[in-house]
Protein backbone atom coordinates (compact mmCIF):
# COMPACT_ATOMS: atom_id res chain seq x y z
CA UNK A 1 0.00 0.00 0.00
CA UNK A 2 1.20 3.47 -0.81
CA UNK A 3 1.02 6.38 1.56
CA UNK A 4 -1.34 9.15 0.58
CA UNK A 5 0.14 12.62 0.49
CA UNK A 6 -1.73 15.45 2.07
CA UNK A 7 -1.52 18.86 0.46
CA UNK A 8 -2.35 22.18 1.94
CA UNK A 9 -3.14 24.98 -0.46
CA UNK A 10 -2.79 28.45 0.97
CA UNK A 11 -4.77 31.30 -0.52
CA UNK A 12 -6.12 34.71 0.40
CA UNK A 13 -9.63 34.64 1.85
CA UNK A 14 -12.32 35.56 1.00
CA UNK A 15 -12.66 34.58 -2.65
CA UNK A 16 -15.28 35.47 -5.24
CA UNK A 17 -16.09 34.03 -8.64
CA UNK A 18 -17.21 36.34 -11.43
CA UNK A 19 -16.20 39.49 -13.26
CA UNK A 20 -16.40 43.24 -12.76
CA UNK A 21 -17.47 45.47 -15.62
CA UNK A 22 -18.25 49.16 -16.03
CA UNK A 23 -20.93 50.85 -18.06
CA UNK A 24 -22.17 54.32 -18.87
CA UNK A 25 -25.81 55.03 -19.67
CA UNK A 26 -28.42 57.55 -20.69
CA UNK A 27 -30.97 58.61 -18.10
CA UNK A 28 -34.69 59.06 -18.61
CA UNK A 29 -34.67 62.86 -18.58
CA UNK A 30 -35.70 64.21 -22.00
CA UNK A 31 -33.71 67.44 -21.61
CA UNK A 32 -30.52 65.87 -20.21
CA UNK A 33 -27.32 66.31 -22.23
CA UNK A 34 -26.78 62.54 -22.16
CA UNK A 35 -29.62 62.13 -24.67
CA UNK A 36 -27.66 63.87 -27.44
CA UNK A 37 -24.01 63.87 -26.36
CA UNK A 38 -22.30 60.46 -26.05
CA UNK A 39 -19.55 62.08 -23.93
CA UNK A 40 -22.18 63.13 -21.36
CA UNK A 41 -23.41 59.64 -20.48
CA UNK A 42 -23.88 58.97 -16.77
CA UNK A 43 -21.53 56.68 -14.88
CA UNK A 44 -19.39 54.79 -14.74
CA UNK A 45 -21.56 52.17 -13.09
CA UNK A 46 -19.70 49.18 -11.67
CA UNK A 47 -21.24 45.73 -12.01
CA UNK A 48 -20.35 42.29 -10.71
CA UNK A 49 -21.59 39.33 -12.74
CA UNK A 50 -21.32 35.77 -11.50
CA UNK A 51 -23.29 32.80 -10.23
CA UNK A 52 -25.38 32.96 -7.08
CA UNK A 53 -27.38 29.89 -6.09
CA UNK A 54 -26.87 28.40 -9.56
CA UNK A 55 -28.13 31.45 -11.45
CA UNK A 56 -26.15 34.06 -13.36
CA UNK A 57 -26.61 37.30 -11.47
CA UNK A 58 -25.51 40.91 -11.91
CA UNK A 59 -25.18 43.37 -9.03
CA UNK A 60 -24.53 47.11 -9.34
CA UNK A 61 -21.79 48.21 -6.94
CA UNK A 62 -20.07 51.30 -5.67
CA UNK A 63 -16.50 51.89 -6.86
CA UNK A 64 -15.19 50.78 -3.47
CA UNK A 65 -17.17 47.53 -3.49
CA UNK A 66 -16.08 46.87 -7.07
CA UNK A 67 -12.44 47.22 -5.99
CA UNK A 68 -12.99 44.77 -3.12
CA UNK A 69 -14.69 42.33 -5.49
CA UNK A 70 -11.73 42.63 -7.88
CA UNK A 71 -9.38 41.69 -5.02
CA UNK A 72 -11.51 38.66 -4.14
CA UNK A 73 -11.81 37.60 -7.80
CA UNK A 74 -8.02 37.78 -8.12
CA UNK A 75 -7.70 35.54 -5.03
CA UNK A 76 -10.14 33.09 -6.61
CA UNK A 77 -8.16 33.03 -9.86
CA UNK A 78 -4.90 32.41 -7.96
CA UNK A 79 -6.55 29.53 -6.09
CA UNK A 80 -7.75 28.06 -9.40
CA UNK A 81 -4.18 28.13 -10.77
CA UNK A 82 -2.87 26.40 -7.65
CA UNK A 83 -5.56 23.71 -7.91
CA UNK A 84 -4.77 23.16 -11.60
CA UNK A 85 -1.11 22.65 -10.70
CA UNK A 86 -1.98 20.14 -7.95
CA UNK A 87 -4.28 18.25 -10.33
CA UNK A 88 -1.54 18.16 -12.97
CA UNK A 89 0.96 16.83 -10.41
CA UNK A 90 -1.56 14.26 -9.19
CA UNK A 91 -2.12 12.96 -12.72
CA UNK A 92 1.56 11.96 -12.78
CA UNK A 93 0.75 9.38 -10.11
CA UNK A 94 -2.53 8.11 -11.54
CA UNK A 95 -3.29 4.43 -10.80
CA UNK A 96 -2.72 3.34 -14.40
CA UNK A 97 0.71 5.00 -14.35
CA UNK A 98 1.64 3.47 -10.99
CA UNK A 99 0.58 0.05 -12.25
CA UNK A 100 2.95 0.35 -15.21
CA UNK A 101 5.88 1.08 -12.89
CA UNK A 102 5.36 -2.10 -10.84
Amino acid sequence: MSKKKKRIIEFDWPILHGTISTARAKCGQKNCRCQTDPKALHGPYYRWTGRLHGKITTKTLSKELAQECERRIKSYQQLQKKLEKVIEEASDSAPWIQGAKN
Side-chain angles (χ1 to χ4, degrees):
M1 277 200 164
S2 65
K3 287 186 177 182
K4 291 186 178 183
K5 290 184 179 180
K6 289 189 178 183
R7 295 229 181 222
I8 296 174
I9 299 175
E10 293 185 12
F11 60 96
D12 292 331
W13 183 262
I15 60 174
L16 181 65
H17 179 267
T19 59
I20 298 293
S21 61
T22 59
R24 294 185 170 273
K26 292 180 183 180
C27 70
Q29 302 290 324
K30 292 180 184 178
N31 296 329
C32 185
R33 243 182 48 186
C34 70
Q35 299 297 327
T36 57
D37 183 1
K39 293 180 182 177
L41 294 177
H42 300 279
Y45 298 106
Y46 297 89
R47 297 184 178 129
W48 169 83
T49 302
R51 286 194 177 270
L52 284 179
H53 311 292
K55 295 182 181 179
I56 295 175
T57 305
T58 299
K59 301 279 185 190
T60 302
L61 310 167
S62 67
K63 182 178 181 177
E64 293 76 22
L65 284 178
Q67 289 171 336
E68 176 61 18
C69 287
E70 283 282 1
R71 188 187 68 72
R72 293 177 183 204
I73 290 168
K74 185 177 178 182
S75 294
Y76 174 80
Q77 292 168 342
Q78 290 170 347
L79 174 60
Q80 270 189 312
K81 287 179 184 178
K82 289 178 182 181
L83 281 173
E84 288 170 8
K85 185 176 179 183
V86 168
I87 290 168
E88 190 176 300
E89 290 172 3
S91 67
D92 292 341
S93 62
W96 57 88
I97 295 172
Q98 286 182 342
K101 292 179 182 178
N102 291 337

